[in-house]
Each structure stands twice: as C-alpha cells, then as structure tokens.
Coordinates of all heavy atoms in Angstrom, one line a residue:
R24 N 0.8 -1.2 0.0 CA 0.0 0.0 0.0 C 0.9 1.2 0.0 O 2.0 1.3 0.6 CB -0.9 0.0 1.2 CG -1.9 -1.1 1.2 CD -2.7 -1.3 2.4 NE -3.4 -0.1 2.8 CZ -4.4 0.0 3.6 NH1 -4.9 -1.1 4.1 NH2 -4.9 1.1 4.0
E25 N 0.4 2.3 -0.6 CA 1.1 3.5 -0.6 C 0.8 4.3 0.7 O -0.3 4.3 1.2 CB 0.6 4.4 -1.8 CG 0.9 3.8 -3.2 CD 2.4 3.8 -3.4 OE1 3.1 4.8 -3.1 OE2 3.0 2.7 -3.8
P26 N 1.9 5.1 1.1 CA 1.6 5.9 2.3 C 0.6 7.0 2.0 O 0.5 7.5 0.9 CB 3.0 6.6 2.5 CG 4.0 5.7 1.8 CD 3.2 5.1 0.6
C27 N -0.2 7.3 3.0 CA -1.3 8.3 2.8 C -1.0 9.4 3.8 O -1.2 9.3 5.0 CB -2.6 7.7 3.1 SG -4.0 8.8 2.9
Y28 N -0.6 10.6 3.3 CA -0.3 11.7 4.2 C -1.4 12.8 4.2 O -1.6 13.5 5.1 CB 1.1 12.3 3.8 CG 2.2 11.4 4.0 CD1 2.8 10.9 2.8 CD2 2.7 11.0 5.2 CE1 3.9 10.0 2.9 CE2 3.8 10.2 5.3 CZ 4.4 9.6 4.2 OH 5.4 8.8 4.3
D29 N -2.1 12.9 3.0 CA -3.0 13.9 2.8 C -4.2 13.9 3.8 O -4.7 15.0 4.1 CB -3.6 13.9 1.4 CG -2.5 14.1 0.3 OD1 -1.5 14.7 0.7 OD2 -2.8 13.7 -0.8
T30 N -4.6 12.8 4.3 CA -5.7 12.7 5.3 C -5.4 13.5 6.5 O -6.4 14.0 7.1 CB -5.8 11.2 5.7 OG1 -6.0 10.4 4.5 CG2 -7.1 11.0 6.6
F31 N -4.2 13.7 6.9 CA -3.9 14.4 8.2 C -3.5 15.8 8.0 O -3.2 16.5 9.0 CB -2.7 13.6 8.9 CG -3.0 12.2 9.1 CD1 -2.6 11.2 8.3 CD2 -3.8 11.8 10.2 CE1 -2.9 9.9 8.5 CE2 -4.1 10.5 10.5 CZ -3.7 9.5 9.6
L32 N -3.5 16.4 6.8 CA -3.1 17.8 6.6 C -3.9 18.8 7.4 O -3.3 19.7 7.9 CB -3.2 18.1 5.1 CG -2.1 17.4 4.2 CD1 -2.4 17.8 2.8 CD2 -0.7 17.8 4.6
D33 N -5.2 18.6 7.5 CA -6.0 19.6 8.1 C -6.1 19.5 9.7 O -6.7 20.4 10.3 CB -7.4 19.6 7.5 CG -7.4 19.9 6.0 OD1 -6.5 20.7 5.6 OD2 -8.3 19.5 5.3
C34 N -5.6 18.5 10.2 CA -5.8 18.3 11.7 C -4.6 18.6 12.5 O -4.6 18.3 13.7 CB -6.4 16.9 12.0 SG -5.3 15.6 11.5
G35 N -3.5 19.0 11.9 CA -2.3 19.4 12.7 C -1.5 18.2 13.2 O -0.7 18.4 14.1
I36 N -1.7 17.0 12.6 CA -0.9 15.8 13.0 C 0.1 15.6 12.0 O -0.2 15.6 10.8 CB -1.9 14.6 13.2 CG1 -2.9 14.9 14.3 CG2 -1.1 13.4 13.5 CD1 -3.9 13.8 14.4
K37 N 1.3 15.3 12.4 CA 2.4 15.0 11.5 C 2.5 13.5 11.3 O 2.9 12.8 12.3 CB 3.7 15.6 11.9 CG 4.8 15.3 10.9 CD 6.2 15.9 11.4 CE 7.2 15.5 10.4 NZ 8.5 16.1 10.8
P38 N 2.1 12.9 10.2 CA 2.1 11.5 10.1 C 3.5 11.0 9.7 O 4.4 11.7 9.2 CB 1.2 11.2 8.9 CG 1.3 12.5 8.1 CD 1.5 13.6 9.0
Y39 N 3.8 9.8 10.1 CA 5.1 9.1 9.8 C 4.7 7.8 9.1 O 3.8 7.1 9.5 CB 5.9 8.8 11.1 CG 6.4 10.0 11.7 CD1 5.7 10.6 12.7 CD2 7.7 10.5 11.4 CE1 6.3 11.7 13.4 CE2 8.2 11.6 12.0 CZ 7.5 12.2 13.0 OH 8.0 13.3 13.6
N40 N 5.4 7.5 8.1 CA 5.2 6.2 7.4 C 6.1 5.1 8.1 O 7.3 5.3 8.1 CB 5.6 6.3 5.9 CG 5.4 5.0 5.2 OD1 4.5 4.3 5.5 ND2 6.2 4.8 4.2
V41 N 5.4 4.2 8.6 CA 6.1 3.1 9.3 C 5.7 1.8 8.6 O 4.6 1.3 8.9 CB 5.8 3.0 10.8 CG1 6.6 1.8 11.4 CG2 6.2 4.3 11.5
P42 N 6.5 1.3 7.7 CA 6.1 0.0 7.0 C 6.0 -1.1 8.0 O 6.9 -1.3 8.8 CB 7.2 -0.2 5.9 CG 8.1 1.0 6.0 CD 7.7 1.8 7.2
L43 N 5.0 -1.9 7.9 CA 4.8 -3.0 8.7 C 4.8 -4.3 7.9 O 4.2 -4.3 6.8 CB 3.5 -3.0 9.5 CG 3.4 -1.8 10.5 CD1 2.0 -1.8 11.1 CD2 4.4 -1.9 11.6
P44 N 5.4 -5.4 8.3 CA 5.4 -6.6 7.5 C 4.0 -7.2 7.6 O 3.2 -6.9 8.6 CB 6.4 -7.5 8.2 CG 6.5 -7.0 9.6 CD 6.2 -5.5 9.5
P45 N 3.7 -8.1 6.7 CA 2.4 -8.8 6.8 C 2.3 -9.6 8.1 O 3.3 -10.0 8.6 CB 2.3 -9.7 5.6 CG 3.4 -9.2 4.7 CD 4.4 -8.5 5.5
L46 N 1.1 -9.8 8.5 CA 0.9 -10.7 9.7 C 1.3 -12.1 9.3 O 1.1 -12.6 8.2 CB -0.6 -10.7 10.1 CG -1.2 -9.4 10.6 CD1 -2.8 -9.6 10.7 CD2 -0.6 -9.0 11.8
Q47 N 1.8 -12.8 10.3 CA 2.1 -14.2 10.2 C 0.8 -15.0 10.2 O -0.2 -14.4 10.7 CB 3.0 -14.7 11.3 CG 4.4 -14.1 11.4 CD 5.2 -14.4 10.2 OE1 5.2 -15.6 9.8 NE2 5.9 -13.4 9.6
D48 N 0.8 -16.2 9.7 CA -0.5 -16.9 9.6 C -1.1 -17.1 11.0 O -2.4 -17.0 11.1 CB -0.3 -18.3 8.9 CG 0.0 -18.2 7.4 OD1 -0.3 -17.1 6.9 OD2 0.4 -19.2 6.8
Q49 N -0.4 -17.4 12.0 CA -0.9 -17.5 13.3 C -1.5 -16.2 13.8 O -2.6 -16.2 14.4 CB 0.2 -18.0 14.3 CG -0.3 -18.2 15.7 CD -1.3 -19.4 15.8 OE1 -1.2 -20.3 15.1 NE2 -2.2 -19.3 16.7
E50 N -0.9 -15.1 13.6 CA -1.4 -13.8 14.0 C -2.7 -13.5 13.2 O -3.7 -13.0 13.8 CB -0.4 -12.7 13.8 CG 0.9 -12.8 14.6 CD 2.0 -11.9 14.1 OE1 2.1 -11.7 12.9 OE2 2.7 -11.4 15.0
A51 N -2.7 -13.8 11.9 CA -3.8 -13.5 11.1 C -5.0 -14.4 11.5 O -6.2 -13.9 11.5 CB -3.5 -13.7 9.6
T52 N -4.8 -15.6 11.8 CA -5.8 -16.5 12.3 C -6.4 -16.0 13.6 O -7.6 -15.9 13.8 CB -5.3 -17.9 12.5 OG1 -4.7 -18.4 11.3 CG2 -6.3 -18.9 13.0
E53 N -5.6 -15.5 14.5 CA -6.1 -15.0 15.8 C -6.9 -13.7 15.6 O -8.0 -13.6 16.1 CB -4.9 -14.6 16.7 CG -5.3 -14.2 18.1 CD -6.0 -15.2 18.9 OE1 -5.7 -16.4 18.8 OE2 -6.8 -14.9 19.8
L54 N -6.5 -12.8 14.7 CA -7.2 -11.6 14.4 C -8.6 -12.0 13.7 O -9.6 -11.4 14.0 CB -6.4 -10.7 13.4 CG -7.1 -9.4 13.0 CD1 -7.5 -8.5 14.2 CD2 -6.2 -8.7 12.0
F55 N -8.5 -12.9 12.8 CA -9.8 -13.4 12.1 C -10.8 -13.9 13.2 O -11.9 -13.5 13.2 CB -9.4 -14.5 11.1 CG -10.7 -15.1 10.5 CD1 -11.2 -14.5 9.4 CD2 -11.2 -16.2 11.0 CE1 -12.4 -15.0 8.8 CE2 -12.4 -16.7 10.4 CZ -12.9 -16.1 9.3
L56 N -10.3 -14.8 14.1 CA -11.2 -15.3 15.1 C -11.8 -14.3 16.0 O -12.9 -14.4 16.5 CB -10.6 -16.5 15.8 CG -10.3 -17.7 15.0 CD1 -9.4 -18.7 15.8 CD2 -11.6 -18.4 14.5
R57 N -11.0 -13.3 16.3 CA -11.4 -12.2 17.2 C -12.4 -11.3 16.5 O -13.2 -10.6 17.2 CB -10.3 -11.4 17.7 CG -9.4 -12.1 18.7 CD -8.2 -11.3 19.1 NE -7.4 -12.0 20.1 CZ -7.0 -11.5 21.2 NH1 -7.3 -10.2 21.5 NH2 -6.2 -12.2 22.0
S58 N -12.4 -11.3 15.2 CA -13.3 -10.4 14.4 C -14.6 -10.9 14.1 O -15.5 -10.2 13.7 CB -12.6 -10.0 13.1 OG -11.3 -9.4 13.3
T59 N -14.8 -12.2 14.2 CA -16.1 -12.9 13.9 C -17.2 -12.5 14.9 O -16.9 -12.2 16.1 CB -16.0 -14.4 13.8 OG1 -15.6 -14.9 15.1 CG2 -15.0 -14.8 12.7
Y60 N -18.4 -12.5 14.4 CA -19.5 -12.2 15.3 C -20.3 -13.5 15.8 O -21.2 -13.4 16.5 CB -20.6 -11.3 14.6 CG -20.0 -9.9 14.4 CD1 -19.6 -9.5 13.1 CD2 -20.0 -9.0 15.4 CE1 -19.1 -8.2 12.9 CE2 -19.5 -7.7 15.2 CZ -19.1 -7.3 14.0 OH -18.6 -6.1 13.8
R61 N -19.8 -14.6 15.4 CA -20.4 -15.9 15.8 C -19.2 -16.9 15.8 O -18.3 -16.8 15.1 CB -21.5 -16.3 15.0 CG -21.2 -16.7 13.6 CD -22.3 -17.5 12.9 NE -22.1 -17.6 11.5 CZ -21.3 -18.6 10.9 NH1 -20.6 -19.4 11.7 NH2 -21.1 -18.7 9.6
P62 N -19.4 -18.0 16.6 CA -18.4 -19.0 16.6 C -18.4 -19.7 15.2 O -19.4 -19.8 14.5 CB -18.8 -20.0 17.7 CG -19.9 -19.3 18.4 CD -20.4 -18.2 17.6
L63 N -17.3 -20.2 14.8 CA -17.2 -21.0 13.6 C -17.8 -22.4 13.8 O -17.8 -22.9 14.9 CB -15.8 -21.2 13.1 CG -15.0 -19.9 12.7 CD1 -13.6 -20.3 12.2 CD2 -15.8 -19.2 11.6
T64 N -18.4 -22.9 12.7 CA -19.1 -24.2 12.8 C -18.4 -25.2 11.9 O -17.5 -24.7 11.1 CB -20.6 -24.1 12.4 OG1 -20.6 -23.7 11.0 CG2 -21.3 -23.1 13.3
A65 N -18.7 -26.4 12.0 CA -18.1 -27.4 11.1 C -18.4 -27.1 9.7 O -17.5 -27.3 8.8 CB -18.6 -28.8 11.5
G66 N -19.5 -26.5 9.3 CA -19.8 -26.2 8.0 C -18.9 -25.0 7.4 O -18.7 -25.0 6.2
D67 N -18.4 -24.2 8.3 CA -17.5 -23.1 7.9 C -16.2 -23.7 7.5 O -15.5 -23.1 6.6 CB -17.3 -22.1 9.1 CG -18.5 -21.3 9.4 OD1 -19.2 -20.8 8.4 OD2 -18.8 -21.1 10.6
L68 N -15.7 -24.7 8.2 CA -14.4 -25.2 7.9 C -14.3 -26.4 6.9 O -13.2 -26.7 6.5 CB -13.8 -25.7 9.3 CG -13.7 -24.6 10.3 CD1 -13.1 -25.1 11.6 CD2 -12.9 -23.4 9.8
D69 N -15.5 -26.9 6.6 CA -15.5 -28.0 5.6 C -16.5 -27.7 4.5 O -17.7 -27.9 4.7 CB -15.9 -29.3 6.4 CG -15.9 -30.5 5.4 OD1 -15.6 -30.4 4.2 OD2 -16.1 -31.6 6.0
P70 N -16.0 -27.2 3.4 CA -16.9 -26.8 2.3 C -17.8 -27.9 1.8 O -18.9 -27.7 1.4 CB -15.9 -26.3 1.2 CG -14.6 -26.0 1.9 CD -14.6 -26.9 3.1
C71 N -17.3 -29.1 1.8 CA -18.1 -30.2 1.3 C -19.3 -30.5 2.2 O -20.4 -30.7 1.8 CB -17.3 -31.5 1.2 SG -16.0 -31.4 0.0
R72 N -19.1 -30.4 3.5 CA -20.1 -30.6 4.5 C -21.1 -29.4 4.4 O -22.3 -29.6 4.5 CB -19.6 -30.6 5.9 CG -20.6 -30.9 7.0 CD -20.0 -31.0 8.3 NE -19.3 -32.2 8.5 CZ -18.4 -32.5 9.4 NH1 -18.1 -31.6 10.3 NH2 -17.7 -33.6 9.4
A73 N -20.7 -28.2 4.2 CA -21.5 -27.1 4.1 C -22.4 -27.2 2.8 O -23.6 -26.9 2.8 CB -20.7 -25.8 4.0
A74 N -21.8 -27.6 1.7 CA -22.6 -27.8 0.5 C -23.7 -28.8 0.6 O -24.8 -28.6 0.2 CB -21.6 -28.1 -0.7
S75 N -23.3 -30.0 1.2 CA -24.3 -31.0 1.4 C -25.4 -30.6 2.3 O -26.6 -30.9 2.2 CB -23.7 -32.3 1.8 OG -23.2 -32.2 3.1
A76 N -25.1 -29.8 3.4 CA -26.1 -29.3 4.3 C -27.0 -28.3 3.6 O -28.2 -28.3 3.9 CB -25.4 -28.7 5.5
G77 N -26.4 -27.5 2.7 CA -27.3 -26.5 2.0 C -28.2 -27.2 1.1 O -29.3 -26.7 0.9
A78 N -27.9 -28.4 0.5 CA -28.7 -29.1 -0.4 C -29.9 -29.8 0.3 O -30.9 -29.9 -0.2 CB -27.9 -30.0 -1.3
T79 N -29.6 -30.3 1.5 CA -30.6 -31.1 2.2 C -31.2 -30.4 3.4 O -31.8 -31.0 4.2 CB -29.9 -32.4 2.7 OG1 -28.9 -32.1 3.6 CG2 -29.4 -33.2 1.5
G80 N -30.9 -29.1 3.6 CA -31.2 -28.4 4.8 C -30.1 -28.5 5.8 O -29.3 -29.5 5.8
A81 N -30.0 -27.6 6.7 CA -28.9 -27.6 7.7 C -28.9 -28.9 8.5 O -29.9 -29.2 9.1 CB -29.0 -26.4 8.6
S82 N -27.8 -29.5 8.6 CA -27.7 -30.7 9.4 C -27.0 -30.4 10.7 O -26.3 -29.4 10.8 CB -26.8 -31.8 8.7 OG -25.5 -31.4 8.7
D83 N -27.3 -31.2 11.7 CA -26.7 -30.9 13.0 C -25.1 -31.0 13.0 O -24.5 -30.2 13.7 CB -27.2 -31.9 14.1 CG -28.6 -31.7 14.4 OD1 -29.1 -30.6 14.2 OD2 -29.3 -32.6 14.9
A84 N -24.6 -31.8 12.1 CA -23.1 -32.0 12.1 C -22.5 -30.7 11.5 O -21.4 -30.3 12.0 CB -22.8 -33.2 11.2
S85 N -23.1 -30.0 10.5 CA -22.5 -28.8 10.0 C -22.7 -27.6 10.9 O -22.0 -26.6 10.8 CB -23.1 -28.5 8.6 OG -24.5 -28.1 8.7
L86 N -23.6 -27.7 11.9 CA -23.8 -26.6 12.8 C -23.1 -26.8 14.1 O -23.1 -25.9 15.0 CB -25.3 -26.5 13.1 CG -26.2 -26.1 11.9 CD1 -27.7 -26.1 12.3 CD2 -25.8 -24.8 11.3
R87 N -22.3 -27.9 14.2 CA -21.5 -28.1 15.4 C -20.5 -27.0 15.6 O -19.7 -26.7 14.7 CB -20.8 -29.4 15.4 CG -20.0 -29.8 16.6 CD -19.3 -31.1 16.4 NE -18.3 -31.2 15.4 CZ -17.0 -30.8 15.6 NH1 -16.6 -30.4 16.7 NH2 -16.2 -30.9 14.6
I88 N -20.5 -26.3 16.8 CA -19.5 -25.2 17.0 C -18.1 -25.8 17.2 O -17.9 -26.8 17.9 CB -20.0 -24.4 18.2 CG1 -21.3 -23.7 17.9 CG2 -18.9 -23.4 18.7 CD1 -21.8 -22.9 19.1
I89 N -17.2 -25.2 16.5 CA -15.8 -25.7 16.5 C -15.1 -25.0 17.7 O -15.1 -23.8 17.8 CB -15.1 -25.4 15.2 CG1 -15.8 -26.1 14.0 CG2 -13.6 -25.8 15.2 CD1 -15.9 -27.6 14.1
P90 N -14.4 -25.8 18.5 CA -13.5 -25.1 19.6 C -12.5 -24.2 18.9 O -12.0 -24.5 17.8 CB -12.9 -26.3 20.3 CG -13.7 -27.5 20.0 CD -14.3 -27.2 18.6
K91 N -12.0 -23.2 19.6 CA -11.1 -22.2 19.1 C -9.8 -22.9 18.6 O -9.3 -22.6 17.6 CB -10.8 -21.2 20.2 CG -9.8 -20.1 19.7 CD -9.6 -19.1 20.8 CE -8.6 -18.0 20.3 NZ -8.4 -17.0 21.3
S92 N -9.3 -23.9 19.4 CA -8.0 -24.5 19.0 C -8.2 -25.3 17.7 O -7.3 -25.3 16.9 CB -7.5 -25.4 20.1 OG -8.5 -26.4 20.4
E93 N -9.3 -25.9 17.5 CA -9.5 -26.7 16.3 C -9.7 -25.7 15.1 O -9.2 -26.0 14.0 CB -10.8 -27.6 16.4 CG -11.0 -28.5 15.3 CD -12.3 -29.3 15.5 OE1 -12.6 -29.6 16.6 OE2 -12.9 -29.7 14.4
A94 N -10.4 -24.6 15.4 CA -10.6 -23.6 14.3 C -9.3 -23.0 13.9 O -9.0 -22.8 12.7 CB -11.5 -22.5 14.8
Q95 N -8.4 -22.7 14.9 CA -7.1 -22.2 14.5 C -6.3 -23.2 13.7 O -5.7 -22.8 12.7 CB -6.3 -21.9 15.8 CG -6.8 -20.6 16.5 CD -6.0 -20.4 17.9 OE1 -5.7 -21.4 18.6 NE2 -5.8 -19.2 18.2
Q96 N -6.3 -24.4 14.0 CA -5.6 -25.4 13.3 C -6.2 -25.6 11.9 O -5.4 -25.7 10.9 CB -5.7 -26.8 14.0 CG -4.8 -27.8 13.5 CD -3.3 -27.5 13.9 OE1 -3.0 -26.7 14.7 NE2 -2.4 -28.1 13.1
S97 N -7.5 -25.5 11.7 CA -8.1 -25.7 10.4 C -7.9 -24.5 9.5 O -7.8 -24.6 8.3 CB -9.6 -25.9 10.6 OG -9.8 -27.1 11.2
L98 N -7.9 -23.3 10.1 CA -7.7 -22.0 9.3 C -6.3 -21.7 8.9 O -6.1 -21.0 8.0 CB -8.3 -20.9 10.1 CG -9.8 -20.7 10.2 CD1 -10.2 -19.6 11.2 CD2 -10.4 -20.5 8.8
K99 N -5.3 -22.2 9.6 CA -4.0 -21.8 9.4 C -3.5 -22.0 8.0 O -2.7 -21.2 7.5 CB -3.0 -22.4 10.5 CG -2.6 -23.8 10.3 CD -1.6 -24.2 11.3 CE -1.2 -25.6 11.0 NZ -0.2 -26.1 11.9
D100 N -4.0 -23.0 7.3 CA -3.6 -23.2 5.9 C -4.3 -22.3 5.0 O -3.8 -22.0 3.9 CB -3.8 -24.7 5.5 CG -2.9 -25.6 6.4 OD1 -1.8 -25.2 6.8 OD2 -3.3 -26.8 6.6
Q101 N -5.5 -21.9 5.3 CA -6.4 -21.1 4.4 C -6.1 -19.6 4.6 O -6.3 -18.9 3.6 CB -7.8 -21.4 4.7 CG -8.3 -22.8 4.5 CD -9.7 -23.0 4.9 OE1 -10.5 -22.2 4.7 NE2 -10.0 -24.2 5.6
I102 N -5.8 -19.2 5.8 CA -5.7 -17.8 6.1 C -4.6 -17.0 5.3 O -4.7 -15.8 5.0 CB -5.5 -17.5 7.6 CG1 -6.1 -16.2 8.0 CG2 -4.1 -17.7 8.0 CD1 -7.5 -16.1 8.1
G103 N -3.6 -17.8 4.8 CA -2.5 -17.2 4.0 C -3.0 -16.6 2.7 O -2.4 -15.7 2.1
A104 N -4.2 -17.0 2.2 CA -4.8 -16.5 1.0 C -5.1 -15.0 1.2 O -5.2 -14.3 0.2 CB -6.0 -17.2 0.6
L105 N -5.2 -14.5 2.4 CA -5.5 -13.1 2.7 C -4.2 -12.2 2.7 O -4.3 -11.0 2.8 CB -6.3 -12.9 4.0 CG -7.6 -13.6 4.0 CD1 -8.2 -13.6 5.4 CD2 -8.6 -13.0 3.0
G106 N -3.1 -12.8 2.5 CA -1.8 -12.1 2.3 C -1.3 -11.5 3.6 O -0.4 -10.6 3.5
G107 N -1.9 -11.8 4.7 CA -1.4 -11.2 6.0 C -1.8 -9.7 6.2 O -1.3 -9.1 7.1
E108 N -2.7 -9.2 5.3 CA -3.1 -7.8 5.4 C -4.2 -7.7 6.5 O -5.3 -8.3 6.3 CB -3.7 -7.3 4.1 CG -2.6 -7.1 3.1 CD -3.1 -6.5 1.8 OE1 -3.9 -5.5 1.9 OE2 -2.7 -6.9 0.7
P109 N -4.0 -7.0 7.6 CA -5.0 -6.9 8.7 C -6.4 -6.5 8.2 O -7.4 -7.0 8.7 CB -4.4 -5.9 9.6 CG -2.9 -6.0 9.4 CD -2.8 -6.2 7.9
G110 N -6.4 -5.5 7.3 CA -7.7 -5.1 6.8 C -8.5 -6.2 6.1 O -9.7 -6.3 6.3
K111 N -7.9 -7.0 5.3 CA -8.5 -8.1 4.6 C -8.9 -9.2 5.6 O -10.0 -9.8 5.5 CB -7.6 -8.7 3.6 CG -7.4 -7.9 2.3 CD -6.6 -8.6 1.3 CE -6.4 -7.9 0.0 NZ -5.6 -8.6 -0.9
V112 N -8.1 -9.4 6.6 CA -8.4 -10.4 7.6 C -9.6 -10.0 8.4 O -10.5 -10.8 8.6 CB -7.1 -10.7 8.5 CG1 -7.5 -11.6 9.7 CG2 -6.0 -11.2 7.7
R113 N -9.6 -8.8 8.8 CA -10.8 -8.3 9.6 C -12.1 -8.3 8.8 O -13.1 -8.6 9.2 CB -10.5 -6.9 10.2 CG -9.5 -6.9 11.3 CD -9.5 -5.7 12.1 NE -10.7 -5.7 12.9 CZ -11.6 -4.7 12.9 NH1 -11.5 -3.6 12.2 NH2 -12.7 -4.8 13.7
K114 N -12.0 -7.9 7.5 CA -13.1 -7.9 6.6 C -13.7 -9.3 6.5 O -14.9 -9.5 6.5 CB -12.8 -7.3 5.2 CG -13.9 -7.2 4.3 CD -13.5 -6.6 3.0 CE -14.7 -6.6 2.0 NZ -14.2 -6.1 0.7
A115 N -12.8 -10.3 6.3 CA -13.3 -11.6 6.3 C -13.9 -12.1 7.6 O -15.0 -12.7 7.6 CB -12.1 -12.6 5.9
G116 N -13.3 -11.7 8.7 CA -13.8 -12.1 10.0 C -15.2 -11.5 10.3 O -16.1 -12.2 10.8
V117 N -15.4 -10.2 10.0 CA -16.7 -9.6 10.3 C -17.8 -10.1 9.4 O -19.0 -9.9 9.7 CB -16.6 -8.0 10.3 CG1 -15.7 -7.5 11.3 CG2 -16.3 -7.5 8.9
S118 N -17.5 -10.8 8.3 CA -18.5 -11.4 7.4 C -19.1 -12.6 8.1 O -20.1 -13.1 7.6 CB -17.9 -11.7 6.1 OG -17.1 -12.8 6.1
V119 N -18.5 -13.1 9.1 CA -19.0 -14.3 9.8 C -19.9 -13.8 11.0 O -19.4 -13.4 12.0 CB -17.9 -15.2 10.3 CG1 -18.4 -16.4 11.1 CG2 -16.9 -15.6 9.2
R120 N -21.2 -13.8 10.7 CA -22.1 -13.3 11.7 C -23.3 -14.2 11.8 O -23.5 -15.0 10.9 CB -22.5 -11.8 11.4 CG -23.0 -11.7 10.0 CD -23.3 -10.3 9.7 NE -22.1 -9.5 9.8 CZ -21.8 -8.4 9.1 NH1 -22.7 -7.9 8.3 NH2 -20.7 -7.7 9.3
P121 N -24.1 -14.0 12.8 CA -25.3 -14.9 12.9 C -26.2 -14.8 11.7 O -26.4 -13.8 11.1 CB -26.1 -14.3 14.1 CG -25.0 -13.7 15.0 CD -24.0 -13.1 14.0
G122 N -26.5 -16.0 11.1 CA -27.3 -16.1 9.9 C -26.6 -16.0 8.6 O -27.1 -16.1 7.6
S123 N -25.2 -15.8 8.7 CA -24.4 -15.7 7.5 C -24.2 -17.1 6.9 O -24.3 -18.1 7.6 CB -23.1 -15.0 7.7 OG -22.3 -15.8 8.6
P124 N -24.0 -17.2 5.6 CA -23.7 -18.5 5.0 C -22.4 -19.0 5.5 O -21.6 -18.2 6.1 CB -23.7 -18.2 3.5 CG -23.4 -16.7 3.4 CD -24.0 -16.1 4.6
P125 N -22.1 -20.3 5.3 CA -20.8 -20.8 5.7 C -19.6 -20.0 5.2 O -19.7 -19.5 4.1 CB -20.8 -22.2 5.2 CG -22.3 -22.6 5.0 CD -22.9 -21.3 4.7
L126 N -18.6 -20.0 5.9 CA -17.4 -19.3 5.5 C -16.8 -19.8 4.2 O -16.7 -21.0 4.0 CB -16.3 -19.4 6.6 CG -14.9 -18.8 6.3 CD1 -15.0 -17.3 6.3 CD2 -14.0 -19.2 7.4
D127 N -16.5 -18.8 3.3 CA -15.9 -19.2 2.0 C -14.8 -18.2 1.7 O -15.0 -17.1 1.1 CB -17.0 -19.1 0.9 CG -16.6 -19.5 -0.5 OD1 -15.4 -19.9 -0.6 OD2 -17.3 -19.4 -1.4
L128 N -13.6 -18.5 2.2 CA -12.5 -17.5 2.1 C -12.2 -17.1 0.6 O -12.0 -16.0 0.3 CB -11.2 -18.0 2.8 CG -11.2 -17.9 4.3 CD1 -10.0 -18.5 4.9 CD2 -11.3 -16.4 4.7
P129 N -12.2 -18.1 -0.3 CA -11.9 -17.7 -1.7 C -12.9 -16.7 -2.2 O -12.5 -15.7 -2.9 CB -11.9 -19.0 -2.5 CG -11.6 -20.0 -1.5 CD -12.2 -19.5 -0.2
R130 N -14.2 -16.8 -1.9 CA -15.2 -15.8 -2.3 C -14.9 -14.5 -1.7 O -15.1 -13.4 -2.3 CB -16.6 -16.3 -1.9 CG -17.7 -15.4 -2.3 CD -19.0 -15.8 -1.8 NE -19.1 -16.1 -0.3 CZ -19.2 -15.1 0.6 NH1 -19.3 -13.9 0.3 NH2 -19.2 -15.5 1.9
L131 N -14.5 -14.4 -0.5 CA -14.2 -13.2 0.2 C -13.0 -12.4 -0.4 O -12.9 -11.2 -0.2 CB -13.9 -13.4 1.7 CG -15.1 -13.9 2.5 CD1 -14.7 -14.3 3.9 CD2 -16.3 -12.9 2.5
L132 N -12.2 -13.1 -1.1 CA -11.0 -12.4 -1.7 C -11.4 -11.6 -2.9 O -10.6 -10.8 -3.4 CB -10.0 -13.5 -2.1 CG -9.3 -14.2 -0.9 CD1 -8.4 -15.3 -1.4 CD2 -8.5 -13.2 0.0
H133 N -12.5 -11.9 -3.5 CA -12.9 -11.2 -4.7 C -14.0 -10.1 -4.5 O -14.6 -10.0 -3.6 CB -13.4 -12.2 -5.8 CG -12.4 -13.2 -6.1 ND1 -11.3 -12.9 -6.7 CD2 -12.4 -14.5 -5.8 CE1 -10.5 -14.0 -6.9 NE2 -11.2 -15.0 -6.3

C-alpha cells in the first residue's frame, strides 16, 4: 500500500510512514477469530459438509460449534490467502455473523 499523508493535513498531526510486515499466519488467524460475530461451525471449515447441508437443509453436524483450538488449526492453511493484510483479515472475520452463510475464504477475496 502507498503511504497516505493527505488525510492528516487539516488536523495538525504529522504522520510518519512506518512500513509493517504482513501478519504471520498464526497472527492473522487470531485476528480473524477475534473479528467474527459468531463461533465457527463445522460447515464453515469443511466446504463439502456445508454444500451437502445446504442441499438437504442444515444438518446438526454442519452446525456443530468448533472449539477455538480446532478452528485455529483448520484455518492456518487457508488464512494465508489473505496475504497477511490486517484489513482483509478483519473484513473476512466480520463477514462471519449470525445467519451468514458458511465461511468461503476464496469468495471473500474477490
């Protein structure tokens, strides 16, 4: 991203550009989980299970709440698709709310 200095011109604040490295996958996963508005379910972490539940009505197995440690383990391979950018990670996290469809990280990237 490009540094943005113009935003602060009128408020008397002198901005400094401090480049930050992308979040590590573990950090991005933690930020993602803190940003969600509902716990992740089995359907969020297993696209095949979510698709079959959608075709036949929500099944109890796809609605099972995943413990945080299991969610971290399952997400750590997928979260890298967000490039470690905190804004993208939070945007993906806040899309997980009550009544939302199962998590689809590739769809959130577009």
